[in-house]
Amino acid sequence: MATIFTRIAQGEIPSYKVAENEDYYAFLDINPLAKGHTLVIPKKMEDDYIFHLDEKTYTGLWAFAREVAAAIREAVPCKRVGVAVLGMEVPHTHIHLVPLQTEGDLDFRKKRPEVSAEEQAQIARAILNAYEKRK
Ligand code: 5GP
């Protein structure tokens, strides 16, 4: 059955896209830990546990995440981009990329900042531009 993230990658459910290639898709988290918090997914859902992915999908996902992280770092002021893999909520493998000012920015239990839809759209555009320029 298609997950919500499969449907996002297929464009059936709207998202703030930040990067895409044939096999992978990246978009802003709907409830970001910090401005620019991005989710990176394989378009095809094989397993919701990242360490169960086949070798090609696994290495391709991390390679794509690295490109997206570089674009985030260019577009969003931050010290570096942090990485987390949880999968406690959505059963579709995904990597969280979070622009960090402090280590506390990766605390999933903290109160999340309010980011308007307009700001999400602006941030997504800036990351997408940086991603496209790097290609
Ligand atoms: P996890 O599964 O890694 O524990 O958390 C799932 C993440 O996906 C959460 O940070 C949550 O805010 C985000 N999320 C859940 N549903 C949606 C959605 O429909 N759209 C977007 N853009 N993000 C979502």
Side-chain angles (χ1 to χ4, degrees):
M1 208 179 71
T3 67
I4 189 159
F5 285 178
T6 312
R7 296 180 65 204
I8 283 175
Q10 288 170 348
E12 285 174 30
I13 294 177
S15 68
Y16 296 106
K17 173 173 120 172
V18 307
E20 180 175 20
N21 68 20
E22 199 181 326
D23 299 316
Y24 304 98
Y25 188 81
F27 56 105
L28 294 183
D29 194 294
I30 203 169
N31 191 13
L33 286 167
K35 289 177 189 179
H37 178 175
T38 294
L39 303 173
V40 180
I41 63 169
K43 289 182 177 174
K44 215 172 103 212
M45 223 303 272
E46 293 177 11
D47 199 305
D48 72 318
Y49 186 52
I50 195 163
F51 297 120
H52 286 166
L53 292 178
D54 68 75
E55 190 66 20
K56 187 165 172 273
T57 308
Y58 179 82
T59 53
L61 180 65
W62 283 107
F64 179 67
R66 178 155 66 174
E67 288 169 17
V68 177
I72 292 172
R73 203 166 183 204
E74 272 177 38
V76 181
C78 61
K79 288 193 174 150
R80 51 182 54 222
V81 175
V83 177
V85 178
L86 285 82
M88 305 301 280
E89 188 187 323
V90 178
H92 182 133
T93 299
H94 54 280
I95 296 171
H96 293 260
L97 297 177
V98 183
L100 302 179
Q101 295 301 341
T102 72
E103 63 188 56
D105 291 332
L106 254 184
D107 178 357
F108 280 78
R109 287 169 301 190
K110 75 170 185 170
K111 187 174 179 312
R112 302 192 182 198
E114 278 181 27
V115 186
S116 68
E118 196 181 314
E119 209 171 355
Q120 285 274 83
Q122 242 171 38
I123 294 165
R125 261 198 312 274
I127 300 172
L128 183 59
N129 282 341
Y131 175 76
E132 297 286 347
K133 266 201 212 133
R134 297 180 62 84
K135 284 203 298 188

